[in-house]
Every structure is written in C-alpha cells, then in structure tokens.
Amino acid sequence: MLKVFSVELRGKVSEVLSLYVTGFLTYILPPIIVIGIVYSIGKWKAQRLLKNRLLSNQGQAKNTNTTANTGTAANASSLHSRPPYHGAFLALISFLPAVIVFCAWSIAEGPVIKGMVNSTLPASIGQLEAGKQDLISSVIGTVENGLEKLDQKELALLEQAAQYDKEAGQAAAPVEPEAIRKLFEDKNIILAENPEAYVLSAALKSRSFTQFSTYGKYALFILMSIVSFMIAYSSIKLRLRARNGVETIVKWFLILASIIAIVTTFGILFSVLFETINFFQIIPPSNFFFGTVWDPRFGWGATGGDGNFGQYGFLPLLWGTLYISFVALFVAVPVGLFAAIYMSEYAGSKLRSIAKPALEILAGIPTIVYGFFALVTLGPFFRDAGAVVGLEINASSVLTAGFVMGIMLIPFISSLSDDIINAVPQSLREGSLGLGSTKSETITKVVLPAALPGLVGAVMLAASRAIGETMIVVLAAGIAAKLHMNPFDALTTITVKIVNQLTGDHEFGSPETLVAFALGLSLFIITLMLNVYALYIVRKYREQYD
C-alpha cells in the first residue's frame, strides 16, 4: 500500500512540476527573451554609432595631422548616455505603450462584453431584481466556461437550442433543455436548472465577443510594439538623452507604485468607513461603544427586520483583545528582550550565526499552525496541569491564547531589539568599560538606556501585532464575550467576532453583518494609535550619534 501511495505521489508531483514548467516556458520565458533581444539591439546600435564616430574622427585626425588621442577623447564624450541605457530605452519605448493599452483593454473588456451580452437578453430580464440578474449572469458565465469542453457536434446542437425570439422572449426553434443540461453534466459542469434558450444564446455571444476581444487585444499589442520599436530604434543617436528618458520612466513607475499603495490604503479605509456608517444608522454609536453585552440577533435579516436587533456591546470584545494581548506581551517581551541582549552582547559570532536563525524560524510558522498547537496540545496540557493542582483551566482560555501568541511574538521582539541594541555605538561600550564598569553594568547603565526608545517602539509594534492576530485567538481563545479577570476562562476578541459575523449566510445589509465593519474600523484605529505613539516615543527620545 505504501508503494502504491509513493507511486501516486510521484505521479502528482510530476504532473504539478510539468504544469509549472509548461507555464514558465509558455508565458514567462518568451517575453524575457524578446525583451533581452530588443535591449541587445539598442545597446548594439549605440556601440556601433560610437565606433563609427571614433573611426571617422581618427581618419580626420590623420588628414589634419592631429593626435588620435585628442579625437578619441572628444568623440568618447560625444555619446551622451552609455550603451546599456540605449538598450533599456529601446526596450521600454518598444513595449511600455503597448503594455499600457493592453492593461487598459483587459480592464475594460469585461464590463463592455457584459453590457453587450445583456443587450441581447429579453426585455423582461432587465426588469428583474439586481440579485436575480446577477444569478442569471452567473449561469451564463458557467455555460460559457463549459463551451470549451464541447466538440463541434455538441456546439452545433447547442447553437440550435439557443435560437430564440428576442421580442417574444421565447424559443424560436425546438429546444430540449433536459438534453442540454445532461450534456453539461457529462462534462462535469453542474447547472442548477435547465438552461433557457436565451441563456445559451447569451453564452455563445459572450464567447464570441471574448474571442474577438482577445485576438484584437493581442494583435494591437504586437502592432503597437512593432511601431514603437521602429520609432525608438530610429531615434537612437549619439546625443540621444537615453539615460534621462530611462530614469524618468523609472521615476514615474516608482511614483505610480507609491500612488497605488496609498490609494489602496484609502480605498480599504473608506470602504470600511461607509459600511460602518450604514451600521450606525441602525445601531446607535453609544450602544456600540459603551455597551457591555454582546448578543447579536442573527435572524433579523431573515425576518425582514422586526426591530429586535440584539445587543452589540463593544467593551467585552475590547477587553478580551487587550487582556489576551497583555498576556502575550507578558510572555514575549522578557524572553525576546533577554534573547536579544544575549545574542548582541554575550554570544560569539559562531553561536550567533546559529541561534538567531533558529530563533527566527518561529517567525516563519503560519499562525494557523500556532492555533492548532494551542487547540490540540497546549490547551489540553494547561487543563490537565490545572486539574492536578486543583485549578479549573479551560482548554480555550486567555492563558492558552496569550501564551501561544507570546511564543509567536518572541522572534518579532528579539529580532527588532537585537538590531536596535547593535545600533548603539561601540564607543559608548568602550568608554564605560574604560571607566571600570563591568559588562553587566555597561549593558544596564549605558546600552539599554541608549536603546530604550527603539525597544519601546519594538514593544508597541509587537502589541499592534498581537491586537490584530486572528487565527490563534479563533482557535484558542473561545467565543465568550464577557467581562472578567479570570485568565483560566474563555474570552473572545475583536478579530474572532469579525470572522464569526462574516461567516455564514447572512444578508449583507443586516446589522449582524455590518457590525464586522464597525469592529474592523475600531481595530484599525486602535492599531494606528499604537503605531503613531510608538513613532512618537522613538522620535522624542532617540539619541543622535555622530
């Protein structure tokens, strides 16, 4: 049996590797080769122009009885940019306009094709609710995706079944919906119901529009690349400011990347903010921020809204988040800080080269693994250990979640603290030791005070990381939204409730779903305040060294 499993595993691995290699050879390697060839052409032309100018000037120098060195120096300076810049210039100008048009076309083709397909549907479809129209569009997309698996005979049958009278909104030719549905089921394409004629017709038209758009898009890309290449190639001269052009394009690319990052951040913020405003139109903000009971009514959306929205008190969730984060920092800060002090001040280079990577392995473990470790191993261990000494400790508790989260934060704090301590100038240590201080006195009286602002910032960043943690607390903290001080009992956090509120089949406009956005915005503000405060501490108390 093990041998059979090994053979099957090798077959799966070979299949996956073959898929990746085929994709690389088909979609990645050809563009790299083409760009490299264009770059080489631009570089070669610049070198040839420079060589011809040098040979020409050497001939003129012999005729005029001047030295060749003077002519060579003068003409070497006549090339404004080095040949590699000409190659980069040619590659950028050849493909960048085509890439921009290609991306714009790819973004616009989806909505345009959808609008063209919707215009072919019966007029009665446009009068349906938005949800039903989206459902019909989804069925059309499923049918369109299944067309690739049909042969010519099956496509002909589908085209015959797709004929309908648009004005009457009914089939104009004999349609066998059962046979069409069975045809797709044989291709492992499941349809919820028998497809109507207009659905089949729309799927065929969408496939036709998509193919035409794809061919046109690639044809335009190739044409623009060729035209741009010819224009850029003819513009390569000795005095062409290729370096300036390349640096300008790179600068605008970096600006665009920065704008995308900023716009994405604000987009996320405003999307959460708008849904939070919708939530506060149903639930008063005072009931949310100062409520002490968390008891949402999940049946509100199904009953049409009878006024019984439940209670959405934020304070129990905030308390659970801060309590578990405090326990995590209580575990992580001493261990991480002591580890950083040892590695930066006591450990030798050989031990440091082994210990630091080994410690930072913890940072590469997915948080879901920490959560399973807490759920399966550490939680039952604490429960059994507590029973031995007469303590009642739940497997899902503040202690379990905080302890495991602290283990996760140890490499975060130790790595940052190690870098901060190493940034303290060596002259301070040498001066302290020269005055007769011991190693430990130098660390406690000189090094740590000098590194204190950075260490405080590292702890604040670790606190932000703990507050925003999700998977560990989902699996190890429990779901009880209560206000208590018992670390052996279960508590819940903001992130746990965000997951719970967005999981399941709930109406999006109901308060039990919209509250997740209010919780997310509150969590964002808390972590932002911590990060700003950490930055303030670092800047205010940071020492400046020459």
Side-chain angles (χ1 to χ4, degrees), residues 40-57 75 78-79 81-84 86-87 233-238:
S40 301
I41 291 174
K43 182 179 177 181
W44 167 80
K45 183 177 181 181
Q47 292 173 338
R48 190 190 65 176
L49 291 174
L50 179 60
K51 181 179 180 180
N52 292 340
R53 176 61 64 88
L54 292 176
L55 293 176
S56 175
N57 283 339
N75 286 281
S78 66
L79 185 66
S81 304
R82 297 175 59 198
H86 289 80
Y233 183 81
S234 62
S235 66
I236 294 180
K237 308 294 182 184
L238 285 176

Side-chain angles (χ1 to χ4, degrees), residues 506-522:
H506 309 304
E507 184 180 346
F508 185 80
S510 61
E512 62 264 20
T513 300
L514 293 177
V515 70
F517 295 95
L519 294 174
L521 183 62
S522 303

Side-chain angles (χ1 to χ4, degrees), residues 401-416:
F403 190 86
V404 174
M405 193 185 299
I407 295 175
M408 181 198 69
L409 292 177
I410 287 174
F412 187 84
I413 294 179
S414 66
S415 180
L416 288 176

Side-chain angles (χ1 to χ4, degrees), residues 152-165:
Q152 294 297 327
K153 184 178 180 180
E154 292 169 338
L155 282 174
L157 177 63
L158 196 67
E159 291 174 356
Q160 180 182 0
Q163 297 177 11
Y164 76 99
D165 186 351

Side-chain angles (χ1 to χ4, degrees), residues 4-66:
V4 173
F5 175 77
S6 177
V7 172
E8 292 180 354
L9 180 61
R10 285 199 300 268
K12 291 293 184 180
V13 171
S14 300
E15 182 179 351
V16 172
L17 290 178
S18 176
L19 181 64
Y20 278 109
V21 171
T22 302
F24 175 79
L25 296 178
T26 305
Y27 299 105
I28 298 178
L29 186 59
I32 293 177
I33 293 175
V34 173
I35 293 173
I37 292 174
V38 173
Y39 170 83
S40 301
I41 291 174
K43 182 179 177 181
W44 167 80
K45 183 177 181 181
Q47 292 173 338
R48 190 190 65 176
L49 291 174
L50 179 60
K51 181 179 180 180
N52 292 340
R53 176 61 64 88
L54 292 176
L55 293 176
S56 175
N57 283 339
Q58 286 178 357
Q60 293 177 4
K62 292 180 180 180
N63 295 332
T64 57
N65 294 325
T66 57

Side-chain angles (χ1 to χ4, degrees), residues 276-291:
T276 302
I277 293 174
N278 294 335
F279 170 73
F280 286 139
Q281 292 175 351
I282 303 174
I283 304 297
S286 59
N287 293 354
F288 175 75
F289 288 110
F290 301 105

